Amino acid sequence: MNIALFGPPGAGKGTQAKELSKHYKIPHISTGDILRANVRDATELGLKAKEYMDKGELVPDDVLIGLIRNRLTEPDCEMGYLLDGYPRTIPQADALTDILAEINKPLDAVINIEVSDEELVKRLSGRRSCSCGESYHLMFNPPEKEGVCDACGSGLYQRDDDGEEVILQRLAVYNEKTKPLIDYYGNEGLLVNINGAGAVDEVFRDICNVMDQHK
Ligand code: ADP
Ligand code: AMP
């Protein structure tokens, strides 16, 4: 099953992808997670990416295209993949089409999680993250013990790009550079819209209904 989860920052892509990856046993490929791991490890890529990420800008296409090519050619993608946060521009989508043709794993569907701007701001400003990859929300999905990850017991933190000013910039960048991909994949007949406003398990069920058609 070859799926891209699409939607604005805060739509719930990471939350859903984590569960979907377990359910369908396909790797969750989050370019944001890969970039943050590089920032944490202070790699050359991480140092370059951080400048853009902290400002709510997109990391340049050539960097992302190289990164996704390397990741998609790893052996765990043999059974399929679940993309989260890639592609975010038309050049990234064009490059993805070429890479997927080379490895003979074309997309089955692009699942667009739709959430209002007002709700996105609430979700992003209340998000609390853990270095193990788990993420919580102060009100909508709080951890059992305040400030502590249920999964690994580490302290939770607020992402540098989840402050109010950067959130607004990220939403503006989404509208300008990423949203045009809705028409792009609509024209390819791959786009499926999902209402992302409901509870996590409701959205999960709706996405499974789409993915089950591609098993
Ligand atoms: P994305 O990966 O699309 O940026 P996340 O999955 O990190 O978004 O979700 C953003 C925030 O919203 C997190 O704090 C998450 O716990 C919360 N969240 C995700 N899905 C829902 C939902 N259906 N209802 C309420 N809060 C949600
Ligand atoms: P995310 O975790 O998906 O919210 O991504 C966090 C940040 O990483 C984004 O605001 C960008 O700066 C960067 N990023 C992640 N994926 C991409 C991508 N496909 N293209 C460009 N920048 C990206």
Side-chain angles (χ1 to χ4, degrees):
M1 221 177 319
N2 307 330
I3 303 286
L5 281 188
F6 187 84
K13 301 181 296 297
T15 303
Q16 295 297 334
K18 197 173 292 296
E19 295 308 313
L20 292 165
S21 166
K22 280 187 230 156
H23 187 75
Y24 291 103
K25 299 185 175 53
I26 51 174
H28 168 201
I29 302 179
S30 157
T31 45
D33 285 351
I34 297 172
L35 291 171
R36 278 184 292 280
N38 276 275
V39 170
R40 218 170 25 244
D41 296 345
T43 66
E44 199 180 322
L45 166 66
L47 294 176
K48 181 170 181 189
K50 186 171 165 40
E51 286 173 40
Y52 297 91
M53 294 168 80
D54 284 352
K55 287 188 283 193
E57 300 292 341
L58 295 182
V59 176
D61 284 338
D62 58 336
V63 175
L64 264 294
I65 292 167
L67 184 155
I68 205 73
R69 174 185 291 280
N70 287 340
R71 184 62 189 89
L72 281 168
T73 47
E74 282 181 29
D76 64 341
C77 295
E78 222 26 70
M79 300 305 289
Y81 52 80
L82 186 57
L83 294 178
D84 160 9
Y86 187 99
R88 267 173 147 104
T89 64
I90 287 177
Q92 289 184 20
D94 286 339
L96 181 66
T97 305
D98 293 345
I99 296 166
L100 296 178
E102 283 167 31
I103 62 173
N104 197 22
K105 290 194 173 36
L107 281 166
D108 293 316
V110 175
I111 299 178
N112 177 30
I113 307 179
E114 297 182 298
V115 175
S116 71
D117 279 3
E118 195 189 340
E119 178 71 12
L120 293 173
V121 173
K122 279 191 209 156
R123 288 189 185 180
L124 290 170
S125 52
R127 176 162 62 187
R128 293 296 179 270
S129 306
C130 180
S131 53
C132 77
E134 287 296 326
S135 108
Y136 300 86
H137 191 281
L138 291 178
M139 285 167 64
F140 307 142
N141 176 28
E144 275 172 32
K145 189 169 166 214
E146 194 183 325
V148 177
C149 179
D150 294 344
C152 75
S154 300
L156 301 179
Y157 62 90
Q158 185 171 29
R159 269 169 52 172
D160 289 342
D161 58 352
D162 277 346
E164 196 173 326
E165 208 175 303
V166 183
I167 288 175
L168 296 179
Q169 174 61 15
R170 286 160 66 208
L171 294 179
V173 168
Y174 169 80
N175 283 319
E176 186 197 344
K177 303 215 167 110
T178 307
K179 209 173 177 184
L181 291 176
I182 292 179
D183 281 346
Y184 181 105
Y185 284 115
N187 291 335
E188 305 241 319
L190 289 172
L191 193 80
V192 185
N193 292 318
I194 292 283
N195 177 7
V200 171
D201 54 346
E202 288 168 357
V203 179
F204 180 76
R205 189 198 53 212
D206 290 349
I207 297 177
C208 286
N209 284 339
V210 176
M211 289 181 63
D212 285 344
Q213 293 167 24
H214 298 285
K215 270 206 270 196

